[in-house]
Amino acid sequence: MGKGAKNKSKKSKAATKAKALERAAVEAADLSGKAAKKAKKKKAKAKEARAAAEVEVASWSDLLRVEPGFALADIDPASTPGFDGGKKDAEQVMEDLQKRLADLQERLFAESKGGGRRSILLVVQGMDTSGKGGIMRHVVGAVDPQGVDITSFKAPSAEEKKHPFLWRIRKALPRPGQIGVFDRSHYEDVLIVRVHELVPRSTWSRRYAQINRFEQGVVEDGTVIVKVMLHLSSDEQKARLTERLHRGDKYWKYNPGDVDERGYWADYMEAYQAALEKCSTAVAPWHVVPCDHKWYARLAVTNLLLEQLEAMDPRWPAADFDVEAERERLAMTP
Amino acid sequence: MGKGAKNKSKKSKAATKAKALERAAVEAADLSGKAAKKAKKKKAKAKEARAAAEVEVASWSDLLRVEPGFALADIDPASTPGFDGGKKDAEQVMEDLQKRLADLQERLFAESKGGGRRSILLVVQGMDTSGKGGIMRHVVGAVDPQGVDITSFKAPSAEEKKHPFLWRIRKALPRPGQIGVFDRSHYEDVLIVRVHELVPRSTWSRRYAQINRFEQGVVEDGTVIVKVMLHLSSDEQKARLTERLHRGDKYWKYNPGDVDERGYWADYMEAYQAALEKCSTAVAPWHVVPCDHKWYARLAVTNLLLEQLEAMDPRWPAADFDVEAERERLAMTP
């Protein structure tokens, strides 16, 4: 899993500093007016330090990317690589990340209005209850909805079945300036399809190479692809399904088929392993995001998106009109 | 403009109370620890009181709805009907409203998963720079993006021009469970089209009745329609366009055609007046939202949506499976 280890000491040091600063801030918080102000400052500093601790560690892509020799079974779904803090800490960090994400999204959108052709595509895969919906709400939901295009892929319709499996995918690719999001994707055609043998082996086994060629073309057309597998443990899935069966406001999310699918858990993990290792290419790598802690998954996916958008560095387009002349023309109107 | 006046005294009293409480809170805020805690409580109370002041006034729809005898010219674009506070106050109130909106949206979405057919459609019209984009970001952006479907209507394409003007509108109607949003709409076909005589008078003059029949059908199919005209003053538009010409990060939003359109301001107001009075029907009334203050427009549109969703009162669907049996089956899995 990349450079995680070698940055560990750097991260821990910064995190320790952050925690000490925060502890001091909390202790100070009970004091009188002046002291409280000071404490507030300290707390802000602690926040900064913590943010630094989490973000400086390494590239999140380096940390979570699927590289040759990768084994899904080696990754603990309850781990939180790149982050020492807990839920509250993550939420604190998230606020700033979401603002940056919203800002970069607007720039990408603006760039396209100036003729730019670039876009970004977030592909989210994961077992039932892995939190795909939460990623949509809390990560994707942080940016202007006008700049986002979410497609949820269900079992293919009769019409879709008449076409090659990538047909409906191609139609859903993001337009220039957009953040496209796939909630499930063409990877279902080598996951559920493989597990339940919905097509012959000879057919699905050819798809890995087809997918790689397809994604290569998409990238060449100016779309940055961020692929994320939300990695859930079977125990946590059981807990989440159980919750759905004990809350009247969650019944609608429950499907009896979900229990049947648990019988194929090992087959799914095998199919994921194959998809991840065969389709983590240089132009469109896979990332595995442990998601037994939902807050961690949201933090990690936000950072993965943010890194790519920062690397794209979209710019406000220059004026394609004479600014001075327009100012004068406007001033002349009543 | 409805019941605004008769609720005025009720509102003012509550607002005054809220302000007094808040002032006390601010004064107390400089004191020592214990007092600060007390002040916090008072501030929370002030917040509650203020929220009550704003929301209890009347139905926002009653306040802003276009009724027989309505005249657009009578409405001050800088007014803030139903709200005595300022920007900060509105932002404070908005947080709670957005949470309620997000909750109701989830229920509406859930309802459709249980077979419900209802949906809601927000139609937003307004002159350039009236803040339609801000409504998308700050009002629509507050709910789960999976439950929202925004369509921005531009000048019709060659393909669209081959069809009747409602063809592309029909295709963009929200599916069950969704909040559909039209950024501009079929009303452009009696606004810009009328102002610039893009079709003969005999054609556009028939469209008001066609629109009313169309909307009647949409409502009968289970979609609640909320129509909003963002009402901007010409002066404020000038100020906003001027700002776009003085900020490099805003050039992309500027179009030289916007200045030309200012020459037709009176014609647009006349076309709006006609559309508002002819198409504010019992099943799909128009609302005029003054928008010289962006924060007010966002507050008002949020409340208009919220009221309709509260009246729809979507419910979590009942389980369509045997809950006990499923719990047992799930418990048996490893």
Side-chain angles (χ1 to χ4, degrees):
Chain A
M1 291 260 292
K3 302 179 191 163
K6 89 171 181 200
N7 289 280
K8 180 80 180 166
S9 64
K10 191 175 166 193
K11 181 186 64 185
S12 296
K13 218 168 141 187
T16 307
K17 190 184 159 200
K19 278 193 178 148
L21 278 166
E22 198 168 59
R23 213 175 308 120
V26 169
E27 280 162 17
D30 285 325
L31 304 178
S32 66
K34 224 172 172 181
K37 265 190 192 166
K38 228 174 155 182
K40 208 176 162 189
K41 259 193 194 163
K42 269 194 182 173
K43 209 174 168 185
K45 237 180 157 178
K47 192 178 163 184
E48 264 177 47
R50 166 151 298 167
E54 312 324 338
V55 174
E56 272 180 26
V57 288
S59 134
W60 285 80
S61 178
D62 285 354
L63 207 57
L64 301 172
R65 196 168 53 224
V66 171
E67 301 278 11
F70 161 90
L72 186 55
D74 291 347
I75 298 174
D76 178 1
S79 63
T80 62
F83 199 77
D84 266 1
K87 187 176 177 178
K88 293 263 173 229
D89 307 309
E91 284 168 355
Q92 208 176 47
V93 173
M94 276 291 269
E95 265 180 56
D96 170 57
L97 298 179
Q98 289 174 328
K99 266 183 213 141
R100 284 161 58 199
L101 194 62
D103 175 60
L104 283 160
Q105 179 274 327
E106 196 190 357
R107 286 169 187 260
L108 183 67
F109 188 80
E111 184 186 86
S112 75
K113 297 294 167 191
R117 305 292 304 162
R118 299 190 297 174
S119 62
I120 190 162
L121 173 63
L122 175 66
V123 175
V124 185
Q125 284 286 158
M127 299 293 282
D128 278 328
T129 76
S130 60
K132 297 186 291 291
I135 297 291
M136 303 303 143
R137 258 192 314 284
H138 299 280
V139 180
V140 180
V143 309
D144 189 338
Q146 294 167 103
V148 166
D149 190 5
I150 301 178
T151 310
S152 283
F153 289 100
K154 314 284 178 198
S157 66
E159 165 75 5
E160 287 167 349
K161 276 186 189 157
K162 282 190 228 155
H163 296 273
F165 76 104
L166 290 170
W167 179 77
R168 63 176 185 162
I169 306 298
R170 212 169 253 124
K171 288 204 306 173
L173 289 171
R175 285 161 290 149
Q178 294 277 315
I179 299 182
V181 185
F182 286 177
D183 175 358
R184 304 187 184 273
S185 66
H186 43 303
Y187 284 96
E188 292 297 330
D189 294 292
V190 290
L191 292 168
I192 189 171
V193 165
R194 169 175 166 153
V195 167
H196 292 295
E197 302 178 50
L198 303 181
V199 301
R201 168 185 273 269
S202 62
T203 302
W204 61 251
S205 63
R206 276 199 308 271
R207 289 183 173 170
Y208 302 100
Q210 289 168 347
I211 287 174
N212 288 345
R213 276 195 301 276
F214 167 70
E215 291 181 355
Q216 169 95 38
V218 171
V219 170
E220 282 165 6
D221 285 347
T223 301
V224 171
I225 304 181
V226 180
K227 296 189 293 196
V228 168
M229 183 232 179
L230 299 177
H231 183 39
L232 182 72
S233 69
S234 172
D235 284 352
E236 180 62 21
Q237 187 191 58
K238 192 169 182 173
R240 292 182 187 178
L241 287 175
T242 303
E243 197 199 359
R244 289 184 182 179
L245 286 172
H246 282 84
R247 282 178 53 179
D249 63 338
K250 297 274 190 190
Y251 287 163
W252 66 280
K253 293 187 173 187
Y254 182 85
N255 183 333
D258 298 344
V259 170
D260 304 323
E261 286 295 271
R262 282 179 61 75
Y264 298 91
W265 190 273
D267 297 327
Y268 271 107
M269 291 307 110
E270 196 185 307
Y272 265 110
Q273 172 70 34
L276 293 168
E277 67 180 42
K278 286 179 200 291
C279 298
S280 191
T281 59
V283 294
W286 267 108
H287 301 89
V288 172
V289 173
C291 70
D292 275 9
H293 297 293
K294 288 180 182 175
W295 56 262
Y296 172 76
R298 292 165 193 176
L299 178 75
V301 176
T302 305
N303 274 301
L304 286 170
L305 264 181
L306 206 48
E307 276 180 5
Q308 291 306 318
L309 275 163
E310 277 170 351
M312 290 169 86
D313 193 20
R315 301 297 178 100
W316 303 115
D320 57 357
F321 48 82
D322 181 338
V323 177
E324 269 308 322
E326 288 301 316
R327 283 183 198 160
E328 277 170 40
R329 238 162 50 86
L330 178 59
M332 300 286 288
T333 65
Chain B
M1 292 259 293
K3 304 178 191 163
K6 90 173 182 201
N7 289 279
K8 181 80 181 167
S9 64
K10 190 177 169 192
K11 180 186 64 183
S12 296
K13 217 168 141 188
T16 309
K17 190 187 160 199
K19 276 192 181 150
L21 278 165
E22 197 168 61
R23 212 174 311 118
V26 170
E27 280 162 17
D30 285 324
L31 306 177
S32 65
K34 225 172 172 180
K37 265 189 191 166
K38 229 175 157 180
K40 208 176 161 189
K41 258 194 193 163
K42 270 194 181 173
K43 209 173 167 187
K45 238 181 157 176
K47 193 178 162 185
E48 264 177 46
R50 166 150 300 169
E54 311 323 338
V55 174
E56 272 179 26
V57 287
S59 135
W60 286 79
S61 178
D62 285 352
L63 207 56
L64 302 172
R65 195 168 52 224
V66 173
E67 301 279 11
F70 161 89
L72 185 56
D74 291 347
I75 298 173
D76 178 1
S79 63
T80 62
F83 199 75
D84 265 1
K87 187 175 177 178
K88 293 262 173 231
D89 307 310
E91 283 168 357
Q92 210 176 44
V93 173
M94 276 291 270
E95 265 180 57
D96 171 57
L97 298 179
Q98 288 173 329
K99 266 184 212 139
R100 283 161 57 199
L101 195 63
D103 175 59
L104 282 160
Q105 177 276 326
E106 195 191 357
R107 285 170 187 259
L108 182 67
F109 188 80
E111 183 185 85
S112 76
K113 297 294 166 190
R117 307 290 305 160
R118 298 191 298 173
S119 62
I120 191 163
L121 172 63
L122 174 67
V123 174
V124 185
Q125 283 288 158
M127 299 293 283
D128 278 329
T129 76
S130 60
K132 296 185 292 292
I135 296 292
M136 303 304 143
R137 258 192 315 284
H138 299 281
V139 180
V140 181
V143 310
D144 189 338
Q146 294 166 103
V148 167
D149 190 4
I150 301 177
T151 309
S152 284
F153 289 99
K154 313 284 179 197
S157 66
E159 165 75 5
E160 287 166 349
K161 276 184 190 159
K162 282 190 229 155
H163 296 273
F165 76 104
L166 290 170
W167 179 77
R168 63 176 185 162
I169 307 298
R170 212 168 253 127
K171 288 204 306 172
L173 289 172
R175 285 161 290 150
Q178 294 276 316
I179 299 182
V181 186
F182 286 176
D183 175 357
R184 304 186 184 273
S185 66
H186 42 302
Y187 284 96
E188 292 297 330
D189 294 291
V190 289
L191 292 168
I192 189 170
V193 165
R194 169 175 166 152
V195 168
H196 291 295
E197 302 178 49
L198 302 180
V199 302
R201 168 185 273 270
S202 61
T203 302
W204 61 250
S205 62
R206 275 200 309 270
R207 287 184 175 169
Y208 301 101
Q210 288 168 347
I211 287 173
N212 288 345
R213 275 195 303 275
F214 167 71
E215 290 181 355
Q216 169 96 38
V218 171
V219 170
E220 282 166 5
D221 285 348
T223 300
V224 171
I225 304 181
V226 180
K227 296 189 293 196
V228 169
M229 183 233 180
L230 299 177
H231 184 39
L232 182 73
S233 69
S234 173
D235 284 351
E236 179 62 20
Q237 186 190 61
K238 193 170 182 174
R240 292 182 187 178
L241 287 174
T242 303
E243 196 199 359
R244 289 185 181 177
L245 286 172
H246 283 83
R247 284 178 52 179
D249 62 338
K250 297 274 190 189
Y251 287 164
W252 67 279
K253 292 187 173 188
Y254 182 85
N255 183 333
D258 299 344
V259 171
D260 304 324
E261 285 295 272
R262 282 178 61 75
Y264 298 91
W265 190 272
D267 298 327
Y268 272 107
M269 292 307 109
E270 196 186 307
Y272 266 110
Q273 172 70 34
L276 292 168
E277 67 180 43
K278 286 178 198 292
C279 298
S280 192
T281 59
V283 295
W286 267 108
H287 302 88
V288 172
V289 173
C291 70
D292 275 9
H293 297 293
K294 288 180 182 175
W295 56 261
Y296 172 76
R298 292 165 192 173
L299 178 74
V301 177
T302 304
N303 274 301
L304 285 170
L305 264 182
L306 206 47
E307 276 180 5
Q308 292 306 319
L309 275 162
E310 278 171 350
M312 290 170 84
D313 192 20
R315 301 297 177 98
W316 303 116
D320 56 358
F321 48 83
D322 180 338
V323 176
E324 268 308 321
E326 288 302 315
R327 283 184 198 159
E328 275 171 39
R329 237 161 53 84
L330 178 59
M332 298 287 288
T333 65

